[in-house]
Amino acid sequence: MTAEKLVKVVTENGITTVTLDQPDKRNSLSLAMLQALSDVLTKLAGDNDTRVVVLAASGQVFCAGHDLNEVRDQFGDQNRQKCLFDLCSRVMQQLVNLPKPVIARVAGVATAAGCQLVASCDLAVAADTARFATPGVNIGLFCSTPMVALSRNVNRKHAMEMLLTGEMIGALRAEQIGLINKVVDEQALDDTVYRMAGVIAGKSSHTLKVGKAAFYQQLELNLTDAYDYTAQVMTDNLAAADAQEGIRAFLDKRNPEWSDC
């Protein structure tokens, strides 16, 4: 199956919606799906028309994680298994490193690497019917790579509870522990997601790029180094045309005209 049939991409008003589109396979992260997603993210990184990315999925399941039929077929071939997990890890890092904000639009179930996918996005909005789990422990394959994104988004004990029990949690619980930002009625999901995306798309894309990169970088530093690093980031940011335009516009009580640089 071609990449175009696995992942749909639509751009409108600076918002690019990337839709996992293999509902008959529960949008599983097969090698082909992961490669298609990786290719799309690579293109979007340099796409000046895209200011915000929405990650969505077709059907009743957001993403069921890895394709276990494919995994079973690779029993005994550790090289192919390692390729699968390496590619998955690369895609998750592409989401984090993408110089545009990414919002997960979650309807249905997101399990294992599918839950990892949600956790790897910058923001996430879920329907009240959505559910989440890292159930690898139930089949003897601990969700070790999903744990990386999960443990960087929720409290340590909450992450361990999900990983050790493998039990499903509802959208409200996912919001409480910080896995997602908002829970809304399923009928209001698109309005909420695209309203949020529209607000962000109205900002300077240069400023968003600087801020997203700095956010993830400072998380890995100790307190003193984080302040040293972000002070330099702000100094460099202030030299940008959009920062100077934004400050002038604020003081002049007018809307800024972004040049995205």
Side-chain angles (χ1 to χ4, degrees):
M1 185 173 287
T2 62
E4 291 77 11
K5 292 184 178 179
L6 292 173
V7 179
K8 290 183 178 178
V9 181
V10 177
T11 301
E12 187 175 356
N13 299 323
I15 302 168
T16 295
T17 302
V18 178
T19 304
L20 307 183
D21 194 30
Q22 201 176 22
D24 57 317
K25 297 282 190 179
R26 297 164 60 87
N27 297 311
S28 296
L29 297 181
S30 62
L31 272 168
M33 177 67 86
L34 285 166
Q35 189 59 62
L37 189 52
S38 179
D39 291 345
V40 167
L41 293 173
T42 297
K43 292 177 182 177
L44 290 179
D47 179 16
N48 292 331
D49 292 332
T50 297
R51 307 176 75 84
V52 181
V53 175
V54 172
L55 182 62
S58 300
Q60 300 302 308
V61 176
F62 178 78
C63 179
H66 293 299
D67 183 339
L68 292 182
N69 286 307
E70 183 179 69
V71 170
R72 180 186 59 190
D73 291 343
Q74 294 171 2
F75 282 170
D77 189 342
Q78 287 199 325
N79 287 332
R80 284 186 61 81
Q81 292 166 356
K82 184 65 161 52
C83 284
L84 172 66
F85 297 128
D86 282 348
L87 179 56
C88 185
S89 298
R90 185 163 76 245
V91 167
M92 302 304 165
Q93 291 176 79
Q94 281 183 275
L95 288 167
V96 173
N97 294 326
L98 192 73
K100 329 222 180 223
V102 183
I103 305 171
R105 174 204 176 278
V106 188
V109 173
T111 54
C115 186
Q116 179 185 10
L117 198 61
V118 175
S120 296
C121 293
D122 305 303
L123 303 169
V125 179
D128 53 9
T129 53
R131 295 183 297 158
F132 305 83
T134 47
V137 68
N138 296 332
I139 60 170
L141 183 65
F142 200 83
C143 284
S144 297
T145 48
M147 157 172 81
V148 175
L150 185 67
S151 64
R152 282 163 169 74
N153 280 263
V154 307
N155 178 278
R156 182 178 299 182
K157 283 185 169 55
H158 292 143
M160 285 297 285
E161 181 179 358
M162 290 185 67
L163 291 161
L164 293 173
T165 67
E167 293 180 346
M168 200 80 74
I169 64 170
L172 287 175
R173 180 58 176 163
E175 182 186 31
Q176 290 171 354
I177 65 175
L179 179 58
I180 61 176
N181 295 84
K182 292 183 179 181
V183 179
V184 298
D185 184 276
E186 191 163 1
Q187 299 303 314
L189 182 58
D190 281 335
D191 285 345
T192 304
V193 168
Y194 287 100
R195 188 183 307 117
M196 179 185 289
V199 169
I200 297 171
K203 315 301 183 186
S204 157
S205 63
H206 175 75
T207 304
L208 294 174
K209 175 182 177 180
V210 169
K212 176 173 173 175
F215 177 82
Y216 290 110
Q217 181 66 31
Q218 63 85 25
L219 284 176
E220 306 303 319
L221 304 174
N222 64 46
L223 186 63
T224 300
D225 289 345
Y227 273 115
D228 287 344
Y229 165 70
T230 52
Q232 186 60 55
V233 169
M234 290 199 73
T235 301
D236 294 340
N237 191 174
L238 192 56
D242 276 355
Q244 296 180 16
E245 162 62 9
I247 291 171
R248 291 191 183 101
F250 178 81
L251 295 174
D252 294 342
K253 295 181 173 56
R254 60 177 175 82
N255 292 325
E257 297 181 6
W258 304 125
S259 59
D260 295 322
C261 62

